[in-house]
Amino acid sequence: MVQKYQSPVRVYKHPFELIMAAYERRFPTCPLIPMFVDSDTVNEFKSEDGAIHVIERRCKLDIDAPRLLKKIAGVDYVYFVQKNSLNSRERTLHIEAHNETFSNRVIINEHCCYSVHPENEDWTCFEQSASLDIKSFFGFESTVEKIAMKQYTSNIKKGKEIIEYYLRQLEEEGITFVPRWTPPSLGPSSEIVPSSKSQVASSAAVVPDTALEGLSSEALSSPGGVSEPMVGTPDDKLDADYIKRYLGDLTPLQESCLIRLRQWLQETHKGKIPKDEHILRFLRARDFNIDKARETMCQSLTWRKQHQVDYILDTWTPPQVLQDYYAGGWHHHDKDGRPLYVLRLGQMDTKGLVRALGEEALLRYVLSINEEGLRRCEENTKVFGRPISSWTCLVDLEGLNMRHLWRPGVKALLRIIEVVEANYPEMLGRLLILRAPRVFPVLWTLVSPFIDDNTRRKFLIYAGNDYQGPGGLLDYIDKEIIPDFLSGECMCEVPEGGLVPKSLYRTAEELENEDLKLWTETIYQSASVFKGAPHEILIQIVDASSVITWDFDVCKGDIVFNIYHSKRSPQPPKKDSLGAHSIASPGGNNMQLIDRVWQLGRDYSMVESPLICKEGESVQGSHVTRWPGFYILQWKFHSMPACAATNLPRVDDVLASLQVSSHKCKVMYYTEVIGSEDFRGSMTSLESSHSGFSQLSAATTSSSQSHSSSMISRWRFC
């Protein structure tokens, strides 16, 4: 397996030329890197005007590896080839390195780049990426991989320290400025000049705050500064200072996982990606396993879109019963700055709430609490000037008894836990359970198997009045905000709960209809796509130059998306019975419109090039219709192409086909038709990102534009 690394952007608040002077002092050897024994120049090239300088070095490294492994390998040192390409005209340095030793067994590639900061020409940016592929190493592949990653992450941490060390060294020697390169005919050649000869020019190393207003690391780290940059633009990159300020201290490999997953989301979700804090939560929940985090995050994004969770705080008002009898609410913050939520579970009539509201209304209310928690975490991050990505929950069990173990109530609780665990990972920073009665172990036995191990470790349980002693509540919450019902001094406005009047109870039929209404309030539809049975929808266009827009997510499998036009209407659609597949299709359907006797080119025509969409991708697009008539949008199962050189299928093709259970795919989609004159200004439409469906029609090319403002308005959570 190939291990990859991608760094965030690290910023030096010094001009590029001064950084280059410091960088060159690392050679031929660097005392700050003990493993870097020596280096020899192999090749060197300089352009006549001095703007281009390419130097290739052979570096000798003493890897910190067990002596037995070195003896088996038959080497004491390993050699790397490093090629540095300095372009003084463009003010860039590109560094490429690869291993020479054991290159047939281990492949290591690294690329680094120093460049001028895009917003301040007197600052310098640094980025690096690397890959490690161990093919074979005398049976010690796993050991070598661990050693390599350990050495590499250690050197990454030292990288900025080393440059800053040599910058201080230059300053001690009186060198604080290096002139930029100029063509020989226009000015003096670049050389290091003592500060006494360039007092005025040396001010380039001290940049006023206004030079990078709104984008500097200092501005980002100031609570009163400009808010974080907009997430989701294709070209934006994460700054190391931004990560530390808003996301916390991450190891180099954790930073790399965040950046790589973020890049993948940008490529597949067309800019509609979650905030960095939320991406990081999914990575932490999966121990920074990118594949697992990506899978769960895509499922969660689809779920959020389908049920419009992004708009729940603005569009949904909790029923009065919840406002009166749900004994929970927000209450200041804990000592770490986390928002504090207080739940008086023992005083809450769970049976009455379920009978009066149903399971789905309770679930939606808990989702609104979590959405409010996300918002409060963002606010506290700005207020306290440090990353706050989770909240604390205080649960008072005084009054808990057997009536709380009512089976439908426990079932609703387990359902809520399941949904929250899947879609709000690592949101709970700490759970304080107070005054746990004797019946609590029974409830804990029922609930704990459904709680993630990482979450379970955050639970602190106190019986009786133990929370008042050492290691109790005062260790986590300031004395002045401990609620009055826990013998504190602060009046808590959380509702006291109480029994829900039976007059508010509703019948099973009423609750079922209400539950159905809650979760069918969505503009998106679901469909199943099978091999040989595509899903198709019909759109009738009366006025030419209308705009068909679409937004769909590929929830499972790979599909091909097509758009066809026909002058005559297909026969009334017939839903596929799925009998041939023997698969139920809950929450989705399959509809085929194109008659089997129809011929492409005679009865209907293709108006856009087919688009292959991979599992997990989110696709938005538009098509300007050229003729009136009937347009058919089709999602078709994508079959892996057979190998052209042989009639036998490839192993990869066979494995890929097995991954799609019974050749079934799932899509979730939304379409809308609007007049072309209203397309650009419509904030209610999806106004697509660049569709990529423009190879057949010049009219489509002119209309398939990116409309980022609309995308942002429709993906508020991201």
Side-chain angles (χ1 to χ4, degrees), residues 344-587:
R344 303 185 67 178
L345 184 60
Q347 303 300 314
M348 195 155 61
D349 181 10
T350 53
K351 179 178 180 179
L353 289 173
V354 173
R355 291 289 302 273
L357 296 168
E359 183 179 314
E360 299 299 334
L362 278 175
L363 173 58
R364 180 166 286 203
Y365 189 59
V366 173
L367 297 183
S368 70
I369 293 172
N370 279 272
E371 291 297 303
E372 177 66 17
L374 288 170
R375 188 184 65 79
R376 288 175 178 261
C377 286
E378 289 184 20
E379 289 180 353
N380 286 18
T381 295
K382 296 174 183 177
V383 170
F384 293 100
R386 61 178 183 272
I388 295 174
S389 60
S390 59
W391 45 286
T392 293
C393 185
L394 186 156
V395 181
D396 179 24
L397 296 183
E398 177 73 8
L400 187 78
N401 54 44
M402 292 302 294
R403 67 183 172 85
H404 289 89
L405 301 182
W406 179 58
R407 186 177 181 84
V410 173
K411 175 176 172 288
L413 177 61
L414 296 180
R415 166 92 187 286
I416 290 171
I417 291 174
E418 181 182 14
V419 173
V420 171
E421 284 278 299
N423 298 285
Y424 300 92
E426 296 297 310
M427 271 299 299
L428 185 65
R430 183 178 294 118
L431 180 67
L432 302 170
I433 300 177
L434 311 183
R435 302 197 282 193
R438 292 183 178 181
V439 74
F440 173 71
V442 180
L443 180 62
W444 179 248
T445 301
L446 295 172
V447 170
S448 60
F450 295 88
I451 301 175
D452 179 76
D453 288 341
N454 290 336
T455 304
R456 206 181 306 166
R457 284 193 285 267
K458 301 171 184 176
F459 284 36
L460 295 172
I461 303 173
Y462 300 90
N465 293 323
D466 292 349
Y467 69 92
Q468 298 177 349
L473 207 55
L474 283 174
D475 286 7
Y476 307 102
I477 301 175
D478 291 327
K479 180 180 179 181
E480 55 270 19
I481 65 170
I482 293 179
D484 52 338
F485 61 84
L486 293 175
S487 303
E489 303 173 358
C490 185
M491 291 297 295
C492 184
E493 297 181 357
V494 173
E496 296 183 1
L499 294 175
V500 177
K502 292 186 178 181
S503 60
L504 298 177
Y505 285 12
R506 304 169 74 183
T507 65
E509 291 76 13
E510 290 175 329
L511 291 176
E512 185 177 351
N513 292 334
E514 182 67 19
D515 289 349
L516 183 63
K517 178 183 175 183
L518 281 173
W519 290 113
T520 53
E521 292 175 351
T522 173
I523 60 175
Y524 292 90
Q525 300 184 56
S526 297
S528 299
V529 179
F530 301 93
K531 190 171 184 179
H535 178 71
E536 297 161 345
I537 62 173
L538 181 67
I539 298 176
Q540 183 176 3
I541 298 297
V542 177
D543 299 322
S545 298
S546 296
V547 182
I548 302 174
T549 65
W550 57 82
D551 178 9
F552 66 85
D553 291 87
V554 185
C555 306
K556 178 180 179 182
D558 300 341
I559 59 99
V560 180
F561 181 61
N562 292 301
I563 304 179
Y564 300 104
H565 172 265
S566 176
K567 294 181 180 179
R568 60 192 179 103
S569 173
Q571 294 297 318
K574 297 179 180 179
K575 290 191 176 183
D576 182 44
S577 64
L578 304 182
H581 303 282
S582 300
I583 299 175
S585 181

Side-chain angles (χ1 to χ4, degrees), residues 92-95 111-115 124-129:
T92 61
L93 172 66
H94 290 277
I95 306 168
H111 180 264
C112 306
C113 177
Y114 287 90
S115 61
T124 306
C125 295
F126 173 75
E127 292 180 82
Q128 69 185 120
S129 60

Side-chain angles (χ1 to χ4, degrees), residues 3 220 288 636:
Q3 293 281 357
L220 286 174
F288 287 87
K636 184 172 66 173

Side-chain angles (χ1 to χ4, degrees), residues 2 5 37 66 185 294 331 359 609 712:
V2 179
Y5 171 79
V37 179
S185 60
R294 177 170 53 199
H331 181 76
E359 183 179 314
S609 297
I712 294 168

Side-chain angles (χ1 to χ4, degrees), residues 156-186:
I156 290 170
K157 291 180 179 178
K158 290 182 179 178
K160 192 169 184 178
E161 297 176 14
I162 294 170
I163 292 295
E164 290 173 345
Y165 168 80
Y166 286 120
L167 285 171
R168 289 193 298 269
Q169 194 177 85
L170 287 169
E171 186 178 358
E172 291 170 0
E173 297 173 10
I175 301 168
T176 59
F177 175 74
V178 179
R180 297 183 187 178
W181 175 89
T182 54
S185 60
L186 299 179

